[in-house]
Amino acid sequence: MESMLQFNQITRTLPGNPARPLFSGLSGEARLSDTISFTGPSGTGKSTLLRILALLESPDEGRLILNGRPAREWDARQWRMKLSYVSQQPFMLSGTVEDNLRAASALHRTPFDRELASRLMASLGMAETDWRKNAQRLSGGEKQRVSLVRTLLLRPEMLLLDEITASLDDTSTEAVERLLRSFHEAEGTGFIWITHDLEQAGRVAGRSWVLAEGRITEGEYACP
């Protein structure tokens, strides 16, 4: 049976204003092998929902179910090994590039695959990066790509991607899209990818979620 994520009647209110929901009663489901673009106007709560799906934030109401088991029955670390979140604002730990590449493996107690790490870095145009370099001295785009590689090294079943190419140039964006397509083809890794680039959404995804007016629909989002 395929791995399945479901969320039922998810409600989240605005911080400091419990009377006003950011969204209310959101429900949906996805196979973890699905490739889903997630679009909609700014401020509708896409990033918040993605963080809820990653168990990084809690809903005010509703429940999450993975493979038939409610989120409360899961160890959060095990959940995040299956559903791995990559932020729009990458966070680099203190230390070197290699320290950062090893971080997720150390946290989740999985072996560090240096060969795979090297291959992924090369695929994103970072073959010449000195792994001994202080990660804080990387450019924003380099940090974003290292963050993605760090997550892929866990071989998650699904990636939760929050506008991960928004700060990248066209060449790096194409490299990220190409890598995620190949990872999906080789390992079945799916994703839910927040993007405001509708052309990108059409290129990368097999399904489309649109969050607007407090509800999720499957379809196309027309830019206002």
Side-chain angles (χ1 to χ4, degrees):
M1 184 172 64
E2 280 197 274
S3 294
M4 181 72 70
L5 170 68
Q6 299 166 295
F7 52 98
N8 298 324
Q9 298 298 308
I10 299 295
T11 295
R12 179 63 183 270
T13 55
L14 292 170
N17 191 353
R20 184 181 173 192
L22 179 61
F23 47 71
S24 179
L26 293 183
S27 297
E29 65 177 31
R31 297 182 301 272
L32 298 197
S33 59
D34 283 344
T35 56
I36 302 170
S37 65
F38 193 11
T39 61
S42 297
T44 52
K46 298 183 298 297
S47 294
T48 298
L49 179 61
L50 208 66
R51 290 178 59 82
I52 288 172
L53 297 181
L55 300 189
L56 295 171
E57 295 190 25
S58 299
D60 296 301
E61 297 178 14
R63 44 180 213 147
L64 306 175
I65 301 169
L66 180 59
N67 295 342
R69 292 170 54 199
R72 66 178 179 274
E73 296 181 4
W74 282 83
D75 174 78
R77 184 175 64 85
Q78 293 296 325
W79 179 288
R80 293 177 192 139
M81 285 183 70
K82 289 183 174 291
L83 293 157
S84 295
Y85 174 80
V86 185
S87 172
Q88 182 182 5
Q89 303 295 332
F91 175 74
M92 292 289 104
L93 300 169
S94 59
T96 65
V97 171
E98 181 168 354
D99 291 334
N100 275 268
L101 292 174
R102 287 179 173 272
S105 299
L107 176 64
H108 293 286
R109 305 184 189 95
T110 58
F112 177 64
D113 190 334
R114 175 177 286 273
E115 181 181 350
L116 177 59
S118 297
R119 197 162 65 244
L120 294 175
M121 290 284 281
S123 73
L124 294 181
M126 301 186 72
E128 303 303 318
T129 299
D130 183 353
W131 288 21
R132 297 168 298 179
K133 183 176 182 178
N134 186 326
Q136 302 297 334
R137 298 180 63 186
L138 296 173
S139 70
E142 289 171 332
K143 290 177 180 177
Q144 186 66 74
R145 285 175 284 166
V146 168
S147 177
L148 178 59
V149 170
R150 182 173 60 192
T151 303
L152 286 173
L153 287 170
L154 288 172
R155 288 189 163 97
E157 292 187 50
M158 173 171 267
L159 294 158
L160 304 174
L161 307 173
D162 193 352
E163 294 195 68
I164 60 165
T165 59
S167 63
L168 301 182
D169 60 25
D170 290 345
T171 299
S172 295
T173 294
E174 290 171 8
V176 168
E177 292 177 4
R178 188 163 54 246
L179 173 59
L180 293 179
R181 280 195 300 269
S182 67
F183 221 76
H184 173 69
E185 292 167 2
E187 306 214 7
T189 306
F191 56 73
I192 302 172
W193 188 337
I194 295 175
T195 178
H196 286 283
D197 183 340
L198 299 186
E199 291 185 2
Q200 180 179 68
R203 287 194 304 269
V204 302
R207 294 178 60 188
S208 169
W209 285 356
V210 182
L211 178 55
E213 299 180 353
R215 63 192 183 97
I216 289 179
T217 58
E218 294 226 10
E220 297 181 358
Y221 165 60
C223 289

